[in-house]
Amino acid sequence: MIDGPEIPLFGLRPLAANPQRSATDPAAGELVAAGPTLGGGRRLPGQGPDFEAWIDEVRRSRDYGGEFVHVHRQPARPARHAAPAAPLPPPLVAALRAQGIERLYTHQAQAIDHVRAGRSVVLVTGTASGKTLAYNLPAVEALLADPDAHALYLFPTKALAQDQLKSLGRLLDAAGAGAAADPRARVKAGVYDGDTSTSARRKLRQEGTVILTNPDMLHQGILPYHPKWARFFRGLKLVVIDEIHTYRGIFGSNVALVMRRLRRIARHYGAAPVFVCCSATIRNPAELAEALVGGPVTPITDDGSPRGPKTVALWNPRFLDREKMERRSANADAGRLFTDLLRRGASVIAFTKARVTAEILYRYAHETLLSKAPGLAAKIAPYRSGYLPEERRAIERRLFNGELAGVISTNALELGIDVGSLDAALVVGFPPTIASTWQQMGRAGRTHDAALAICIAYNEPIDQYLMRHPEYFFEQSPEAAVVDPHNPYLLAGQLASAAYELPITAEDAAVFGPQSAELLDALAHDGQVRALDGRWFWASTDYPAGRINLRTISDNTFTIVDGTRENLVLGTVDAISAPELVYPEAIYLHEGRSYFVQKLDLEQKQAVCEPREVDYYTQPVLDTNILVHGLPERQAAPPSPERGEASSLSRRSAPLGCGRSGEGGAAWRTRKALDGEVHFGTATVSWATIGMKKVRFYSLDSIGYKALDLPRLTLDTASLWWAPPVAARAAVKAAGFAPGEALSGLRNLVVTLMPLFAMCDPSDIGAVLDSKNLGTQALYVFDRYPGGLGFAEQGFHRFEELLAACDALVRDCPCDDGCPSCTGLPILRPAQQQDPDLSNGWPMPSKRATRVLLDAVRGVGVTT
Amino acid sequence: MSSLAETLARLAEKRVRGEIATAAVAGAPEREAYEPLGVESFLPGGVLEGPRGRCYLHERLRSDIEAPQPAWGRYPAPAWRVPALHTDLADRVERGLDGAVFLDLETCGLSNAPVFLAGTMHWNGSDYVVRQYFARDYSEEPALVDELTRFLAGFETVITYNGKSYDVPFLGDRAALHHVPFARPARHLDLVHHARRRWSGVLPNCRLVTVEWHVRHSRRVGDVPGSEVPDLYHDFVKYGAPHRLIPVFHHNLLDVITMDEILRALVEGGEDDIEAMSAGELE
């Protein structure tokens, strides 16, 4: 079917109309959708495409190679309604009716009840479930009831804020039609961000009742100026934080601290707002919400929104050549699926990870359609964040009204923006979180009609792993969003920002955490704050928020500039990440475009690049040392020449200025795991980029290596470590393998899988094998940021789960005895580790060796 | 290594070991006994104690500094000029400084920073009274703002130089921050606007010192530049040594006095008016 015999255009069989209307849906008699996601109007409810039949056809076609590795059928789900405990005020009831909504869904009613009762909530319901109404309704209700009530809405992007402003506007307009008083007179909403004009800013400060903004603006442009917002804060009743799962890692940790500043300032003006958070499905939405809100949050997971039947399929391109482990191009398969679905009359959206891929896919689809279905060629469009707002609006409008049938997008469209619903969504390559995958797949689906979502795997370890473990998609997500508001480096900057805003009292310091007093004393010592009368006052002409970027951990940052465009700044990166990301001759990807790094200027802290179309990626090779704090000196083995350890490997006696342990108490935390123990503590880690590899696109062949000499970075951070129990080592040896090889393989597996559990980027963590610390070889996994950010800690707490996943990955890998997708050194991401501990290292550790180790550790019968 | 860097390293280690206390945090240390040799020794005045705490008030008469002039307290305008005068200026011709007060603030920054010195000047019937409200450290700012706003509330008109853009909104922000009720003054005569109208063709700019030179034919010697004022105050709070700050008081005093001279010049007119008048440009 896909590459099968040519089907004449006029004889093209459309996807058969679904004969089964959702007759069981009591809402069937109502309008198609609750809320503005009315798609196309091209089709009446119940006449959706029959994707089941299509999948069967594909499977039966001659050219099919078994690519559908999993097909999951989500049955239609009728709407479940509920009413809030007390009815909504008449203008809102009228507004809803005008939008075709007679009753609310369960989660919307619950949200209203909780908010009215003053309880903060986190809504964990799917895409297009009416989450926006769940917060707009209580907000508008509160604002209509009290002329001095105000609301603050936070979005991770400016585009989303603009969209939500429109959404709110539509509700207000509907509420105003025919009402006695115009709600717009009471509810004055506006976006306040970097793009807002000076006069609009003034007006919003003086009169705004709903302010829509983003965390960066709140941090630098609103909170430090709070006296100008006194009127607004005095009446602050509600704070909405949308898409909270995007607040993780450094950004999320900083945002959690910014929220503490916000609450403190609200308190200063006498306000104690209720929080409404919205999250995609992750493992720990309530925990994340509480970390952001700083108080108890009630999760609302009872999604009452209706859904047509949805088929979710996982597509793994077939092997081209089993020995080489090469698969057919995922992009090519995606292109074929995309055009085929379009030709069958479905509307489709395809998500790609990079702009370059979106463009490739668009070109392929366009050419194919030109020759096979010319009428459709004009009905597809690429979509990416680089477009001007007007261009994006135009595409969204055309999608909405059916002029466009197919869109190829980068994840610019993933977040909440309203483009109506499409019949099918293709996710090309794992996005890279499961939460994002669901959000992208959520773009397909109308309220009653069948929808289709296909996730297409790249030939990369995580993609392949997930193809074999659909339970991660369809059962509990393993992904935990990690935030760490107690990282002292982040806390220091945010405390300074807070002191600038208002003098910090002992109570305030407690809210920011037990380290605050010490940090404030240190700031006082450095002349930034002064302690007077039991409070810390800002005592400098410095403006701290101005130099704190919420996305970096230090103010030691490098800028990445485009040398061909007068050093236009492409982005900034922590000094920690720079030698690994923008080393000389690196290929740097920015918004889907590739750049070649011409120069890394360490003095100027600048990486100069030029745009370059290349057919390869680069991967840095690192040399890492780790020294755990608190180990008694005698436990560490001296460097041994037989093991190839150079005695010039410096062993630092202590980090500068750091107290050593022996001050009582354990130097680290330990817990029993599997057959032994896993530990978590601080360590001084140093690494240097010693070389880079060039890796060709798609084939992933290595096409070159170059030695580099970049300065060594050293930082104190958190690390977990684990030494295989003696019995496990013995089992490996008995099976004829070197324990070092088995552990090497395990290390590579952990590097691949930890990001899945801790929702971090692979470059956020490092893993190294070392024997110097314990006198025996152990695996160390650490956060690549000073002070640690909670990733290694996550691994420490979930070590058994992590090892189980490693085991599953290595068992399921179809390779013979190790490949880059399982035990081998990873290709492309992240950096490759060259262990000083092992003289030659094992670039491709034996899979069997690793399996023996894992079996022994997990207490499974040893297999070879 | 800075104190902060050391502390960060130490804390990073402690918390991983689980040693960070969860007990309530001790507050900042209370202040030590106040240094006896403060500005009080140089600038006589008294401590004001009110509902918002304490601040310092230094008060003196202009006649302590300058020889009194017969024109003091009055702003006579030549008869031919009066009809062309702006209402705010005409008011002063008629009423002198009755119901009016000059105001100039010294702060730690252009915005989001505390005010530490507020200079005011009013006419007591026979002399100008200069008051300088002073926060001896950051904790005295609420009292300063409170006392100042209550003092200003007793006047109908406030006279400033660029106060519409700067001093009054600044004071409003600080009052909001400290929950001090502050009503904008009923009338506000901002001399900079009138100065621009009058002298922008004549002078290179309308900064206060430029206009001062034109009006008083005197230049300040060794005056502290405005940009250095915030750091001088921060240093004073850290290290004491009032000699740092005396020049700031003096600068503020001169600013306030100069405003009076500028007002007089605006009202009286001068040679530069004749041309403008004949060109029909006079306000």
Side-chain angles (χ1 to χ4, degrees):
Chain A
M1 178 232 34
I2 293 178
D3 278 324
E6 177 72 287
I7 299 168
L9 182 63
F10 301 104
L12 197 69
R13 278 193 318 283
L15 292 156
N18 192 339
Q20 263 176 313
R21 257 189 76 148
S22 341
T24 51
D25 182 358
E30 296 172 3
L31 288 181
V32 175
T37 57
L38 207 53
R42 300 179 290 114
R43 194 182 293 135
L44 294 173
Q47 285 184 10
D50 188 349
F51 289 115
E52 293 296 314
W54 176 77
I55 290 180
D56 281 341
E57 252 190 70
V58 172
R59 282 174 152 161
R60 280 183 276 115
S61 80
R62 240 172 315 169
D63 192 42
Y64 180 61
E67 286 92 343
F68 277 124
V69 294
H70 188 86
V71 177
H72 179 98
R73 287 157 188 86
Q74 282 179 345
R77 186 177 74 190
R80 281 176 307 112
H81 301 280
L88 287 167
L92 283 178
V93 174
L96 292 174
R97 200 166 278 144
Q99 296 191 324
I101 301 165
E102 294 289 335
R103 290 181 285 168
L104 294 176
Y105 300 134
T106 46
H107 56 283
Q108 293 168 330
Q110 282 171 26
I112 293 172
D113 284 338
H114 284 296
V115 170
R116 280 173 174 169
R119 289 187 291 269
S120 296
V121 297
V122 56
L123 280 153
V124 194
T125 54
T127 355
S129 60
K131 270 189 281 210
T132 305
L133 265 184
Y135 58 73
N136 275 345
L137 287 173
V140 174
E141 179 180 58
L143 269 55
L144 288 177
D146 177 359
D148 295 323
H150 307 133
L152 178 71
Y153 286 14
L154 274 177
F155 301 100
T157 67
K158 293 197 262 187
L160 192 51
Q162 292 290 345
D163 271 26
Q164 291 301 334
L165 179 65
K166 285 211 201 79
S167 216
L168 181 59
R170 280 194 291 268
L171 182 66
L172 291 172
D173 287 340
D182 181 14
R184 292 261 201 196
R186 279 278 188 85
V187 184
K188 297 185 188 169
V191 170
Y192 192 99
D193 65 22
D195 296 340
T196 313
S197 72
T198 322
S199 54
R201 288 189 196 196
R202 198 177 316 125
K203 196 148 197 280
L204 281 170
R205 282 196 302 263
Q206 285 167 354
E207 299 170 26
T209 57
V210 183
I211 302 292
L212 293 84
T213 187
N214 58 67
D216 304 274
M217 190 63 179
L218 186 64
H219 157 66
Q220 276 182 351
I222 296 179
L223 293 178
Y225 295 85
H226 64 88
K228 298 207 189 297
W229 293 88
R231 171 206 64 94
F232 178 78
F233 282 117
R234 253 178 243 128
L236 187 61
K237 293 280 183 292
L238 188 72
V239 176
V240 171
I241 315 178
D242 201 0
E243 313 279 358
I244 64 168
H245 56 283
T246 59
Y247 300 132
R248 53 185 200 262
I250 296 178
F251 184 48
S253 307
N254 265 325
V255 171
L257 289 165
V258 172
M259 289 296 109
R260 280 167 173 71
R261 282 162 52 199
L262 168 66
R263 291 198 312 271
R264 186 175 81 124
I265 284 177
R267 213 166 34 240
H268 179 78
Y269 293 104
V274 173
F275 287 78
V276 177
C277 304
C278 300
S279 175
T281 311
I282 51 177
R283 187 188 169 93
N284 61 341
E287 186 186 53
L288 177 63
E290 286 182 355
L292 290 172
V293 165
V297 176
T298 309
I300 298 180
T301 51
D302 183 17
D303 189 344
S305 61
R307 209 174 44 200
K310 190 156 177 177
T311 308
V312 180
L314 303 182
W315 174 281
N316 200 1
R318 77 186 69 162
F319 282 120
L320 284 175
D321 174 342
R322 201 161 185 98
E323 281 78 6
K324 281 170 77 178
M325 304 278 310
E326 226 178 283
R327 290 184 183 268
R328 204 148 81 162
S329 154
N331 293 341
D333 277 5
R336 281 187 280 262
L337 289 168
F338 184 75
T339 48
D340 194 64
L341 285 166
L342 279 172
R343 290 170 65 204
R344 296 312 186 98
S347 57
V348 195
I349 180 165
F351 287 99
T352 66
K353 291 200 281 191
R355 193 200 296 210
V356 152
T357 321
E359 282 165 9
I360 292 173
L361 206 56
Y362 172 73
R363 253 182 278 144
Y364 170 91
H366 191 75
E367 278 161 23
T368 308
L369 289 171
L370 272 178
S371 73
K372 298 194 177 170
L376 281 175
K379 297 189 86 178
I380 65 171
Y383 182 103
R384 46 176 206 266
S385 56
Y387 283 145
L388 294 171
E390 308 85 71
E391 295 168 299
R392 291 177 48 224
R393 297 284 156 265
I395 293 177
E396 285 160 18
R397 206 169 36 244
R398 292 169 65 207
L399 260 179
F400 210 83
N401 62 28
E403 275 174 48
L404 278 180
V407 171
I408 298 162
S409 168
T410 55
N411 53 19
L413 263 185
E414 171 188 311
L415 290 180
I417 298 170
D418 189 4
V419 287
S421 281
L422 297 121
D423 295 319
L426 301 181
V427 178
V428 187
F430 182 59
T433 61
I434 294 172
S436 297
T437 313
W438 277 112
Q439 289 205 299
Q440 291 174 9
M441 297 200 292
R443 288 301 169 182
R446 298 162 202 266
T447 331
H448 301 328
D449 297 344
L452 170 72
I454 309 180
C455 186
I456 301 161
Y458 277 151
N459 195 13
E460 285 172 20
I462 291 263
D463 290 40
Q464 291 300 314
Y465 182 70
L466 287 170
M467 286 290 123
R468 288 190 275 275
H469 293 276
E471 67 271 15
Y472 282 155
F473 278 108
F474 303 110
E475 293 160 36
Q476 225 226 338
S477 169
E479 297 180 327
V482 173
V483 294
D484 189 9
H486 297 292
N487 175 295
Y489 296 82
L490 298 176
L491 184 55
Q494 294 288 339
L495 271 175
S497 305
Y500 179 90
E501 285 155 6
L502 284 172
I504 299 188
T505 63
E507 282 157 349
D508 292 337
V511 166
F512 282 100
Q515 302 168 95
S516 307
E518 264 188 81
L519 282 169
L520 287 164
D521 282 342
L523 285 170
H525 208 264
D526 290 345
Q528 300 282 74
V529 301
R530 180 146 181 93
L532 289 164
D533 268 359
R535 289 172 291 163
W536 285 275
F537 289 82
W538 190 250
S540 131
T541 50
D542 225 18
Y543 169 48
R547 55 177 164 78
I548 292 169
N549 179 333
L550 297 182
R551 289 165 178 72
T552 60
I553 191 158
S554 63
D555 40 14
N556 188 11
T557 55
F558 276 62
T559 44
I560 306 171
V561 302
D562 182 346
T564 64
R565 281 186 284 169
E566 283 158 13
N567 284 3
L568 173 73
V569 174
L570 299 174
T572 50
V573 76
D574 258 307
I576 296 159
S577 308
E580 189 183 320
L581 196 63
V582 286
Y583 44 91
E585 295 189 44
I587 297 299
Y588 170 68
L589 295 173
H590 176 74
E591 284 184 14
R593 198 147 266 166
S594 53
Y595 295 82
F596 178 82
V597 176
Q598 293 162 313
K599 180 171 80 156
L600 178 63
D601 189 337
L602 298 164
E603 306 282 313
Q604 300 278 60
K605 299 219 184 115
Q606 193 179 71
V608 183
C609 323
E610 60 172 25
R612 201 184 275 197
E613 295 264 335
V614 290
D615 64 349
Y616 66 90
Y617 299 111
T618 56
Q619 182 182 27
V621 179
L622 306 182
D623 167 60
T624 305
N625 283 328
I626 185 163
L627 182 74
V628 168
H629 298 164
L631 287 173
E633 301 274 349
R634 64 178 177 278
Q635 266 192 27
S640 152
E642 309 101 78
R643 281 186 282 174
E645 289 155 24
S647 56
S648 64
L649 281 174
S650 57
R651 214 159 45 86
R652 301 189 36 189
S653 55
L656 289 172
C658 224
R660 281 291 239 139
S661 74
E663 291 157 16
W668 55 80
R669 290 188 254 156
T670 300
R671 54 177 280 268
K672 295 231 173 301
L674 303 165
D675 228 9
E677 291 176 332
V678 64
H679 312 274
F680 178 65
T682 41
T684 302
V685 187
S686 77
W687 67 85
T689 305
I690 57 171
M692 62 169 253
K693 295 171 81 153
K694 287 190 190 173
V695 179
R696 205 182 288 286
F697 280 178
Y698 302 128
S699 69
L700 303 181
D701 288 333
S702 178
I703 51 177
Y705 175 89
K706 187 181 151 100
L708 293 169
D709 181 26
L710 290 171
R712 183 161 280 273
L713 278 162
T714 304
L715 55 86
D716 291 337
T717 182
S719 177
L720 74 81
W721 63 94
W722 175 78
V726 169
R729 293 176 64 91
V732 171
K733 281 197 202 138
F737 299 108
E741 182 173 8
L743 200 53
S744 243
L746 180 60
R747 185 270 307 275
N748 296 332
L749 288 165
V750 166
V751 154
T752 298
L753 285 168
M754 258 247 328
L756 187 62
F757 288 84
M759 270 180 117
C760 60
D761 199 77
S763 58
D764 290 330
I765 56 166
V768 69
L769 302 180
D770 169 88
S771 342
K772 294 191 308 298
N773 282 284
L774 297 178
T776 179
Q777 196 169 62
L779 168 69
Y780 295 80
V781 184
F782 53 89
D783 295 345
R784 296 165 71 84
Y785 298 105
L789 268 180
F791 306 125
E793 187 167 8
Q794 186 74 207
F796 168 69
H797 288 300
R798 294 167 68 189
F799 194 67
E800 295 89 333
E801 240 183 288
L802 183 60
L803 249 47
C806 292
D807 186 58
L809 195 155
V810 75
R811 268 173 200 281
D812 297 334
C813 193
C815 70
D816 181 42
D817 195 22
C819 73
S821 292
C822 62
T823 51
L825 284 171
I827 293 182
L828 297 184
R829 284 191 311 273
Q832 283 198 5
Q833 194 58 258
Q834 189 154 299
D835 297 304
D837 203 45
L838 312 158
S839 41
N840 292 318
W842 280 281
M844 203 67 79
S846 157
K847 186 161 86 172
R848 293 185 200 113
T850 306
R851 284 190 59 190
V852 172
L853 176 65
L854 279 167
D855 286 346
V857 164
R858 297 180 70 231
V860 179
V862 173
T863 55
T864 41
Chain B
M1 196 190 277
S2 82
S3 179
L4 182 63
E6 286 176 23
T7 304
L8 287 170
R10 188 174 62 245
L11 284 172
E13 176 157 350
K14 274 172 82 170
R15 77 190 188 114
V16 169
R17 297 211 296 253
E19 278 174 20
I20 301 292
T22 45
V25 173
E30 296 294 321
R31 76 166 76 231
E32 290 125 28
Y34 201 78
E35 279 209 0
L37 191 66
V39 289
E40 296 88 332
S41 316
F42 298 91
L43 300 166
V47 174
L48 288 177
E49 189 138 3
R52 301 308 308 270
R54 293 198 195 113
C55 66
Y56 190 78
L57 177 60
H58 166 58
E59 189 176 287
R60 66 209 301 191
L61 298 172
R62 188 172 172 186
S63 58
D64 294 341
I65 312 156
E66 296 179 351
Q69 302 293 314
W72 277 14
R74 299 185 300 120
Y75 307 91
W80 54 262
R81 219 177 127 72
V82 173
L85 277 181
H86 190 281
T87 357
D88 289 345
L89 293 174
D91 254 0
R92 304 309 12 133
V93 173
E94 211 181 290
R95 301 172 56 188
L97 270 187
D98 177 36
V101 63
F102 292 94
L103 174 69
D104 183 48
L105 301 182
E106 305 299 336
T107 71
C108 288
L110 289 174
S111 61
N112 309 324
V115 52
F116 67 87
L117 180 63
T120 68
M121 187 165 77
H122 65 280
W123 179 251
N124 71 0
S126 54
D127 203 341
Y128 289 98
V129 180
V130 178
R131 290 181 150 198
Q132 290 178 305
Y133 292 86
F134 177 55
R136 290 170 295 173
D137 62 46
Y138 316 112
S139 70
E140 296 202 339
E141 195 208 3
L144 184 161
V145 172
D146 185 52
E147 297 289 344
L148 176 68
T149 51
R150 281 195 278 129
F151 176 64
L152 293 175
F155 295 91
E156 184 193 306
T157 307
V158 75
I159 308 177
T160 65
Y161 201 85
N162 196 29
K164 279 190 176 157
S165 305
Y166 181 61
D167 303 70
V168 171
F170 197 103
L171 190 56
D173 282 351
R174 299 315 289 178
L177 190 154
H178 292 300
H179 308 307
V180 169
F182 173 60
R184 301 252 157 153
R187 313 275 298 276
H188 185 164
L189 168 54
D190 189 338
L191 298 172
V192 76
H193 299 302
H194 301 280
R196 283 188 193 133
R197 232 176 275 140
R198 175 72 176 279
W199 291 305
S200 44
V202 171
L203 296 173
N205 62 62
C206 281
R207 293 174 52 228
L208 184 69
V209 284
T210 313
V211 174
E212 179 183 61
W213 164 241
H214 179 70
V215 161
R216 305 200 76 182
H217 307 294
S218 71
R219 254 191 237 289
R220 306 188 192 185
V221 174
D223 191 31
V224 55
S227 57
E228 285 178 26
V229 165
D231 279 312
L232 285 170
Y233 183 66
H234 288 307
D235 283 349
F236 169 75
V237 174
K238 278 199 240 314
Y239 308 117
H243 68 268
R244 287 177 211 275
L245 223 45
I246 304 302
V248 178
F249 275 83
H250 194 65
H251 168 89
N252 179 255
L253 176 71
L254 292 182
D255 282 355
V256 160
I257 290 177
T258 285
M259 275 200 270
D260 181 59
E261 296 303 319
I262 293 174
L263 172 58
R264 192 164 292 106
L266 282 169
V267 159
E268 285 174 354
E271 321 85 47
D272 47 351
D273 278 330
I274 313 292
E275 243 182 69
M277 189 181 73
S278 58
E281 280 166 11
L282 204 54
E283 53 188 359

